[in-house]
Amino acid sequence: MTSTANPALSADELRAEIVRTRAALGATVEALAAKADVKARMKDATGELADRTKARALAAADITKARAVAAVRDPRLRGPVPLAVLGVAAAGVAALIVFGLRARR
């Protein structure tokens, strides 16, 4: 192993350089170990995906609920067809939530 250190460095300066080098090497080893832990990385990614899916499903459910309330209150939208459309939309949101949760397992 070749050294590029200055031969004029004092012993204290060399010790300090060794300490800095060890700290940098330790940080590098920790970073490599984290990258190599595929199982932990996949678990983190799966958790993040599940959280995003839940948030989207809840947002869609809120929008559907708001539209259903508006449809019930709006006399122009009363009747079997608009309510059927809302029912299908609500069932679709429920299916997204159920299948999203099952896919996570």
Side-chain angles (χ1 to χ4, degrees):
M1 182 186 229
T2 61
S3 175
T4 60
N6 185 352
L9 291 177
S10 70
D12 289 336
E13 291 172 332
L14 285 174
R15 285 186 190 99
E17 186 177 336
I18 290 170
V19 168
R20 284 191 302 272
T21 303
R22 284 183 180 162
L25 181 60
T28 302
V29 168
E30 287 178 15
L32 288 173
K35 271 193 161 187
D37 191 358
V38 175
K39 185 176 180 180
R41 289 175 57 200
M42 290 303 297
K43 188 174 182 180
D44 291 343
T46 303
E48 291 173 9
L49 179 61
D51 291 343
R52 284 195 313 262
T53 302
K54 285 180 192 176
R56 287 179 183 168
L58 291 174
D62 289 342
I63 291 170
T64 302
K65 181 180 177 183
R67 287 180 180 169
V69 169
V72 169
R73 291 184 182 160
D74 189 352
R76 294 175 297 142
L77 298 177
R78 289 189 184 158
V81 174
L83 291 178
V85 170
L86 288 174
V88 169
V93 169
L96 285 174
I97 292 171
V98 170
F99 289 122
L101 293 176
R102 285 187 183 174
R104 189 178 79 157
R105 292 181 190 171

